[in-house]
Amino acid sequence: MRVNKKCSCLPAEEKGIHIINIRAIEDIGYDQHESTLLNSLSKNPDADCKYGLYFRDGKRKVDYILVYHYKKSSSGRTLARRVHHNDSSTRSTRQDQPLPGKGVQLEMGESEPHMDYHEDDKRFRREEYEGNLVEAGLELERDEDTKIHGVGFVKIHAPWNVLCREAEFLKLKMPTKKMYQINQTHGLLKKINSVIQKITEPIQPKVAEHKPQTVKRLSYPFSREKQHLFDLSDRDSFFDSKTRSTIVYEILKRTTCTKAKYSMGITSLLANGVYSAAYPLHDGDYEGENVEPNDRKLLCEEWASYGVFYKYQPIDLVRKYFGEKIGLYFAWLGVYTQMLIPASIVGIIVFLYGCATVDENIPSMEMCDQRNNITMCPLCDRTCSYWKMSSACATARASHLFDNPATVFFSVFMALWAATFMEHWKRKQMRLNYRWDLTGFEEEEDHPRAEYEAKVLEKSLRKEHKQKEKHRYFPEETANKWRQRVKTVMTGVKLTDKEKLTWKDRFPAYLTNFVGIIFMVGLTFAIVFGVIIYRISTAAALAISSTPSGRSSVRVTVTATAVIINLVVIIILDEVYGCIARWLTQIEVPKTDKNFEERLIFKAFLLKFVNAYTPIFYVAFFKGRFVGRPGDYVYIFHSFRMEECAPGGCLMELCIQLSIIMLGKQLIQNNLFEIGIPKMKKFIRYMKLKRRRSLDHEEHMKKKQRYEVDYNLEPFAGLTPEYMEMIIQFGFVTLFVASFPLAPLFALLNNIIEIRLDAKKFVTELRRPVAVRAKDIGIWYNILRGIGKLAVIINAFVISFTSDFIPRLVYLYMYSENGTMHGFVNHTLSSFNVSDFQAGTAPNDPMDLGYEVQICRYKDYREPPWSENKYDISKDFWAVLAARLAFVIVFQNLVMFMSDFVDWIIPDIPKDISQQIHKEKVLMVEVFMREEQGKLHMLETWKDKDKKKGENCNNHSPRLSRSRSGSLSSCHSYPLDV
């Protein structure tokens, strides 16, 4: 196996040189290098390199870190080793002489322990890969003398020429020298903006990037041929740390290692354990004394602190530090939180309206009036007795808080709010694209994932094996083909360019996905059904209670405990479904990371949506719909009677279910999962490292390098969990808002904490993620639009079928004698003769109320027992049903039309931004035209000079002219070469 000598990496067997063998090393001429290294230990060189932010020379900045594990020699402490890869002269020198500690006969009869095959293989891959990185122009420095036992670090620096080359490849827009004035508002708008700026000044973050700008630099894709256009006065800061790490990561993905069975990039090397981690460094410490100012510290003070919860986010600084993709997430979260403020205010007004009119609500007053003496039928067989409707007075009054005419207005308002929010975000997104120079950015196809490359290799080798079996009668020809195939693989030719995975290859995975998702959805339904059984059985068991208080609180107890069980199950299944969705996506083997992320998001959202909303859908649309009637109830397993809604309707129970699940998910997931679990993982990792750490006091007291500190942080796992949490919350705010007007308020309070919680996690608890360019939030926008459209339909059905809004309108305009709601409760109740009970279902104690009951009432539209078609569905039922369906159609189409009108009337691109973009294009054309004119003028000047020289040459003697014919020809050819 060939060893790439251009990468001067020491083998894993020789992690360092034992102190006892220093004499042997001096004998072969390495005294100066190692003695200098020993002397440097006493000078604390870590301060010169700012504790890991720079190379040992203190000049070259560390742009990226590769981490690997190695087996350290147990025979004693190793010396510090810093292996440098610098310029080409250094590399060529090292090709002619052995590496320190290599090929040396060690004294005292000691020998290094033999490494196993896997460690050898990983070491060879690292050697070749790092050699290829050096050939790509990167500079490397290795450090194995760390406080973390058995962990080595490779520091990577990208020099200026590499940064320029890659910036041109990636078409990075960089600021030019040309600056132009941003169009400012005039007149009344200018005065209004100045007043708003003065009012909002206390809530603005104190960062330079957040101040309003009046001028902007013209940006243009970087080009090495046009470097004169760019402001290169300070080359060290021209490419910021975020851009440098992005460039290095692109090189890492593109560079391959071919010593394995197939070409491997950094993703494959990480997946195979050759490297254990790869990450860019944070800018420095964010807390402590004498900490130098840096962007991380500024973000911690002005963004990732609960004390600044009332301030705007410094989005431009977030983008500068973390990249556009993470910046867009926090910008979207900020816009969403701001838009929740008016929704919360309107929701509070609707709730207060319900509180103010509860004493004027005639239906609830009739239910609470004990003079009506309405006797209701038993809620369960045998053990339950007859009961007075006035006992449900509290439930009826509470239902009015959420079931009143104002909730219909609020549903329409929230549908328009969702459309306005989407339009507002699109406009905000365009402003950010303009500010962040992303207007012309188009995402290019990403590199194939490591798993996809491995699958393609497996397919190609399988195909070769079949061809070999087919041509076994031509062994020589087959062997030549096989040899050519292996040669092609070993030279690093990407198989993904020749082979691709078809739907036939993925069919088993697709089938597994389909069956798996159906099974998970069925499991969710089964759990909800189990909770229904629990509610029914618990209600029957509590009804047997001899205490009156126990019997009166049956409904509240059953509802509360069932909702808590649902909450616990939802939280547990959320984590389970997240893992299952990832596994199902992995077996599909998507080609790129973008495809993988989109498929993962779709599966995870589908499963988590079903998990979170199935119990709520049951209460809203199914509970109390299939109960039957007294004497002919519907039973489950021939023993459990289907549960009914309360006399005031199921809307109150829907409100309780929605509020507990929403608040419980937010509180538990925020406090337990987002705060508790990361801190627990960090503590466990700290204890493991402390247990493995050397007992040497000097090493223990040494300050950690920046890359060691960052290695102990939690790796970045992507934005999918963050988006998913907010999308599910958006569903709670919009889908069933007719039953819970306070949902926007609780979402607002949660998001104020969520922004700072996520910010603190990104700044202090996670490794710095690789900056990713993005111009939008991707598939999440389509999911939000889908939820907004679905919310209109669901709220229409909630108002029509779950609340009593439509039955009240029908009664008011069709059946009321005096145009009021008096008599509405009696109109919605049907009568039942107790003598018609089925055998064994009548109450055991018919005299529980103190008198004999002949007729009991139940909520339904049915014919009375004295009618010819007793207990059949009455005409009133069909009238109410027709009105409900008509309302759904009218409400849905009207609100959809209004939402589309809002979408149409608000332009996606703000007018001032479109003008600025056009202005940039015009200015860019002017810059290039001026440059071309300058070139033409220079060319004409050279031609004039050349003509004058030609005339001077013609004035000389013929002999002199002949002697200078060569120079004349060169003079005439010079302008042509230019």
Side-chain angles (χ1 to χ4, degrees):
M1 192 172 287
R2 181 181 61 87
V3 178
N4 195 326
K5 293 184 179 180
K6 290 188 178 181
C7 177
S8 305
C9 301
L10 290 181
E13 296 103 323
E14 295 149 328
K15 317 262 184 328
I17 305 143
H18 202 283
I19 293 177
I20 201 168
N21 298 316
I22 291 295
R23 184 67 254 168
I25 299 173
E26 291 175 359
D27 294 339
I28 60 172
Y30 285 102
D31 176 45
Q32 183 179 359
H33 175 78
E34 294 297 338
S35 62
T36 304
L37 189 57
L38 286 174
N39 293 333
S40 67
L41 292 176
S42 61
K43 295 180 182 179
N44 188 18
D46 293 338
D48 297 334
C49 66
K50 295 187 180 180
Y51 295 98
L53 288 174
Y54 288 81
F55 275 22
R56 281 282 150 184
D57 56 14
K59 298 178 180 179
R60 291 173 294 171
K61 189 174 182 180
V62 177
D63 298 319
Y64 217 86
I65 291 291
L66 299 179
V67 188
Y68 61 92
H69 288 276
Y70 66 92
K71 291 185 178 179
K72 210 166 188 178
S73 173
S74 59
S75 58
R77 185 183 174 214
T78 57
L79 286 177
R81 276 204 310 108
R82 305 295 197 261
V83 180
H84 303 265
H85 301 275
N86 301 325
D87 53 0
S88 58
S89 62
T90 308
R91 293 198 298 269
S92 61
T93 304
R94 286 200 176 97
Q95 293 179 14
D96 302 327
Q97 56 186 1
L99 294 172
K102 198 166 189 177
V104 181
Q105 187 68 31
L106 297 177
E107 295 183 2
M108 303 298 291
E110 294 186 35
S111 61
E112 291 291 331
H114 187 266
M115 304 299 293
D116 57 30
Y117 169 76
H118 293 292
E119 288 298 320
D120 253 355
D121 183 55
K122 290 179 182 178
R123 176 171 57 86
F124 288 145
R125 294 189 199 181
R126 284 198 297 269
E127 285 182 359
E128 187 200 2
Y129 184 70
E130 290 165 14
N132 293 337
L133 291 180
V134 173
E135 290 180 357
L138 298 179
E139 298 176 3
L140 311 182
E141 182 179 83
R142 180 178 294 173
D143 184 5
E144 290 182 358
D145 179 39
T146 63
K147 297 182 71 174
I148 306 176
H149 181 79
V151 176
F153 297 89
V154 178
K155 295 175 277 187
I156 302 177
H157 168 77
W160 173 255
N161 60 329
V162 173
L163 292 173
C164 293
R165 182 191 70 203
E166 297 298 323
E168 185 173 351
F169 290 166
L170 296 174
K171 301 176 182 178
L172 295 180
K173 274 192 172 183
M174 303 302 294
T176 63
K177 297 176 183 177
K178 176 69 175 178
M179 301 181 70
Y180 67 95
Q181 194 82 14
I182 297 177
N183 293 339
Q184 301 292 323
T185 54
H186 301 284
L188 182 61
L189 286 177
K190 185 176 181 180
K191 293 180 180 179
I192 294 174
N193 288 337
S194 62
V195 171
I196 293 174
Q197 286 180 5
K198 289 181 180 179
I199 294 175
T200 59
E201 188 175 356
I203 60 176
Q204 300 289 347
K206 297 178 181 178
V207 296
E209 285 79 2
H210 198 76
K211 294 179 181 179
Q213 297 179 348
T214 57
V215 293
K216 185 177 183 293
R217 286 189 178 274
L218 193 63
S219 296
Y220 184 73
F222 187 82
S223 172
R224 287 172 290 181
E225 295 180 355
K226 301 185 184 305
Q227 287 193 30
H228 58 278
L229 295 177
F230 302 93
D231 184 11
L232 303 179
S233 57
D234 185 7
R235 290 190 173 188
D236 293 336
S237 61
F238 183 74
F239 295 105
D240 56 15
S241 58
K242 177 254 305 181
T243 307
R244 297 175 69 99
S245 63
T246 302
I247 288 174
V248 173
Y249 182 65
E250 288 295 327
I251 299 175
L252 292 177
K253 286 197 299 183
R254 191 175 66 236
T255 305
T256 57
C257 168
T258 59
K259 282 189 177 179
K261 292 182 180 179
Y262 60 99
S263 177
M264 300 178 71
I266 186 61
T267 54
S268 302
L269 294 173
L270 288 169
N272 286 274
V274 178
Y275 291 102
S276 57
Y279 52 88
L281 292 180
H282 280 291
D283 278 358
D285 294 325
Y286 60 89
E287 59 183 358
E289 298 179 359
N290 302 323
V291 176
E292 293 185 3
N294 57 71
D295 288 342
R296 188 187 188 194
K297 185 175 185 293
L298 187 59
L299 282 172
C300 189
E301 294 172 351
E302 294 294 330
W303 182 51
S305 173
Y306 295 110
V308 294
F309 72 92
Y310 59 92
K311 289 188 176 183
Y312 284 101
Q313 299 182 86
I315 292 299
D316 291 325
L317 184 59
V318 174
R319 173 254 178 179
K320 178 185 174 185
Y321 193 79
F322 291 108
E324 286 79 6
K325 192 170 186 179
I326 294 176
L328 282 173
Y329 163 71
F330 282 103
W332 173 83
L333 185 56
V335 170
Y336 172 46
T337 304
Q338 289 176 10
M339 289 294 293
L340 283 173
I341 296 175
S344 302
I345 294 173
V346 176
I348 293 172
I349 293 174
V350 169
F351 178 75
L352 293 177
Y353 171 81
C355 295
T357 58
V358 67
D359 293 329
E360 302 173 3
N361 184 40
I362 296 176
S364 61
M365 291 170 60
E366 288 184 349
M367 291 182 64
C368 295
D369 191 357
Q370 297 184 1
R371 293 174 298 177
N372 289 335
N373 197 26
I374 299 176
T375 303
M376 303 297 293
C377 296
L379 296 175
C380 62
D381 295 341
R382 295 188 300 277
T383 56
C384 299
S385 185
Y386 305 105
W387 55 286
K388 292 283 189 180
M389 173 170 274
S390 57
S391 64
C393 175
T395 306
R397 290 174 63 86
S399 296
H400 179 72
L401 301 178
F402 306 101
D403 187 6
N404 56 69
T407 57
V408 180
F409 159 76
F410 190 56
S411 299
V412 177
F413 171 80
M414 287 304 294
L416 298 178
W417 172 88
T420 307
F421 162 60
M422 300 304 293
E423 290 303 309
H424 179 45
W425 166 244
K426 280 196 291 187
R427 291 169 64 83
K428 177 70 173 179
Q429 193 170 254
M430 283 304 303
R431 289 187 181 277
L432 293 177
N433 285 341
Y434 165 71
R435 264 176 23 208
W436 296 349
D437 298 321
L438 294 171
T439 48
F441 171 70
E442 294 294 337
E443 293 186 9
E444 298 179 358
E445 187 177 357
D446 204 354
H447 297 275
R449 298 174 62 247
E451 293 81 357
Y452 181 84
E453 290 181 340
K455 200 75 175 178
V456 169
L457 173 74
E458 182 183 342
K459 177 183 177 181
S460 61
L461 294 179
R462 191 164 54 243
K463 187 182 293 186
E464 290 286 350
H465 180 70
K466 289 181 180 178
Q467 291 179 357
K468 185 178 179 181
E469 291 293 327
K470 184 178 180 180
H471 299 90
R472 61 182 180 273
Y473 297 107
F474 305 97
E476 185 177 352
E477 182 183 354
T478 306
N480 290 335
K481 285 185 177 180
W482 182 259
R483 193 178 299 111
Q484 183 65 29
R485 184 59 177 168
V486 173
K487 183 179 178 181
T488 304
V489 173
M490 293 299 289
T491 53
V493 175
K494 286 185 177 288
L495 298 177
T496 53
D497 297 336
K498 296 183 178 181
E499 293 285 348
K500 292 184 179 180
L501 296 182
T502 62
W503 69 269
K504 293 181 180 179
D505 301 318
R506 290 194 173 105
F507 180 75
Y510 289 154
L511 183 62
T512 305
N513 271 261
F514 178 76
V515 174
I517 291 175
I518 294 297
F519 174 77
M520 292 302 141
V521 172
L523 176 64
T524 304
F525 290 162
I527 291 173
V528 172
F529 183 73
V531 174
I532 294 171
I533 299 298
Y534 161 80
R535 294 162 66 112
I536 296 171
S537 58
T538 305
L542 292 177
I544 305 175
S545 174
S546 57
T547 59
S549 61
R551 287 195 296 269
S552 62
S553 61
V554 167
R555 194 180 294 276
V556 176
T557 305
V558 170
T559 301
T561 55
V563 171
I564 292 173
I565 292 173
N566 275 327
L567 174 62
V568 173
V569 170
I570 286 172
I571 291 175
I572 293 173
L573 287 183
D574 255 0
E575 301 303 314
V576 174
Y577 286 168
C579 297
I580 291 175
R582 180 169 291 276
W583 176 75
L584 290 174
T585 309
Q586 286 173 347
I587 64 175
E588 279 189 58
V589 198
K591 183 175 181 180
T592 62
D593 287 329
K594 183 179 179 181
N595 292 340
F596 180 88
E597 186 180 17
E598 289 181 350
R599 296 186 186 192
L600 173 62
I601 289 170
F602 174 75
K603 294 180 185 65
F605 173 74
L606 177 63
L607 293 175
K608 292 189 176 187
F609 182 89
V610 172
N611 179 43
Y613 294 110
T614 299
I616 301 172
F617 270 94
Y618 164 72
V619 174
F621 303 122
F622 297 98
K623 185 179 178 182
R625 309 290 174 192
F626 311 101
V627 178
R629 60 170 179 82
D632 188 22
Y633 283 114
V634 177
Y635 291 90
I636 302 175
F637 304 134
H638 304 287
S639 56
F640 297 109
R641 205 174 92 186
M642 290 292 291
E643 54 183 346
E644 304 177 39
C645 289
C650 279
L651 197 69
M652 185 61 195
E653 189 172 340
L654 176 62
C655 173
I656 295 172
Q657 183 108 356
L658 188 67
S659 59
I660 292 180
I661 291 178
M662 179 181 175
L663 296 177
K665 264 179 68 70
Q666 291 180 352
L667 292 176
I668 293 176
Q669 286 188 336
N670 284 356
N671 293 306
L672 180 61
F673 293 163
E674 294 197 19
I675 298 177
I677 291 180
K679 289 189 178 296
M680 189 183 302
K681 288 181 178 179
K682 189 176 180 181
F683 177 75
I684 293 172
R685 192 162 53 246
Y686 169 76
M687 294 303 294
K688 286 182 178 179
L689 293 173
K690 189 177 180 181
R691 193 179 302 116
R692 292 164 48 188
R693 190 176 293 156
S694 173
L695 297 177
D696 188 352
H697 181 70
E698 179 187 349
E699 187 173 347
H700 178 71
M701 296 302 293
K702 186 176 66 174
K703 184 178 178 180
K704 282 187 176 181
Q705 303 286 334
R706 176 79 263 153
Y707 44 84
E708 295 179 77
V709 177
D710 287 3
Y711 177 69
N712 293 331
L713 298 177
E714 193 74 14
F716 176 63
L719 290 172
T720 300
E722 314 299 335
Y723 271 116
M724 189 67 69
E725 182 183 348
M726 289 297 104
I727 296 296
I728 295 296
Q729 184 204 83
F730 182 77
F732 282 122
V733 169
T734 54
L735 291 180
F736 296 94
V737 74
S739 63
F740 190 40
L742 295 179
L745 174 63
F746 289 115
L748 173 64
L749 298 176
N750 172 80
N751 287 5
I752 292 174
I753 301 172
E754 179 74 20
I755 290 176
R756 307 303 163 180
L757 182 68
D758 285 346
K760 195 173 186 65
K761 181 172 66 175
F762 273 83
V763 173
T764 65
E765 297 178 4
L766 295 179
R767 293 176 191 161
R768 188 174 183 177
V770 180
V772 178
R773 288 189 297 169
K775 61 188 302 183
D776 51 40
I777 59 175
I779 193 175
W780 297 110
Y781 181 81
N782 298 328
I783 293 176
L784 285 169
R785 285 189 66 87
I787 291 177
K789 300 294 184 183
L790 184 62
V792 176
I793 301 171
I794 290 178
N795 281 304
F797 277 95
V798 167
I799 295 171
S800 294
F801 289 89
T802 309
S803 73
D804 283 338
F805 177 73
I806 299 301
R808 287 173 186 167
L809 287 181
V810 172
Y811 176 79
L812 185 64
Y813 292 105
M814 291 183 63
Y815 301 102
S816 177
E817 296 178 357
N818 51 9
T820 64
M821 294 301 295
H822 288 287
F824 170 73
V825 174
N826 186 62
H827 177 75
T828 58
L829 297 176
S830 299
S831 302
F832 178 74
N833 194 329
V834 299
S835 61
D836 294 332
F837 271 120
Q838 291 182 355
T841 60
N844 295 333
D845 186 11
M847 300 294 293
D848 185 59
L849 294 178
Y851 56 88
E852 185 179 358
V853 178
Q854 299 292 333
I855 299 292
C856 66
R857 309 295 296 274
Y858 62 98
K859 190 171 183 179
D860 205 349
Y861 291 100
R862 291 184 179 269
E863 297 291 341
W866 51 82
S867 172
E868 294 182 1
N869 303 315
K870 64 178 183 178
Y871 308 134
D872 285 350
I873 294 175
S874 63
K875 295 180 180 179
D876 299 342
F877 172 83
W878 299 112
V880 171
L881 179 62
R884 282 174 164 165
L885 294 175
F887 177 83
V888 168
I889 296 172
V890 173
F891 181 90
Q892 175 184 332
N893 286 280
L894 178 64
V895 175
M896 288 282 192
F897 170 76
M898 295 172 69
S899 300
D900 291 340
F901 180 74
V902 170
D903 191 358
W904 172 75
I905 202 172
I906 301 177
D908 294 345
I909 304 176
K911 185 177 180 180
D912 59 327
I913 296 299
S914 61
Q915 290 175 351
Q916 297 289 358
I917 293 173
H918 178 70
K919 185 177 181 180
E920 276 196 353
K921 292 179 180 179
V922 172
L923 288 174
M924 204 72 243
V925 171
E926 289 180 0
V927 168
F928 284 115
M929 289 296 294
R930 194 176 297 116
E931 184 182 1
E932 290 297 322
Q933 290 173 0
K935 289 180 180 179
L936 290 174
H937 179 70
M938 189 179 299
L939 194 61
E940 290 175 357
T941 304
W942 286 346
K943 286 181 178 180
D944 292 340
K945 288 182 179 180
D946 185 64
K947 286 181 180 179
K948 290 180 181 179
K949 287 182 180 179
E951 292 175 358
N952 293 334
C953 290
N954 291 331
N955 293 332
H956 291 292
S957 61
R959 187 174 58 86
L960 187 61
S961 300
R962 284 195 300 271
S963 65
R964 293 186 178 180
S965 60
S967 61
L968 277 172
S969 62
S970 64
C971 290
H972 287 288
S973 63
Y974 179 72
L976 297 176
D977 292 340
V978 174

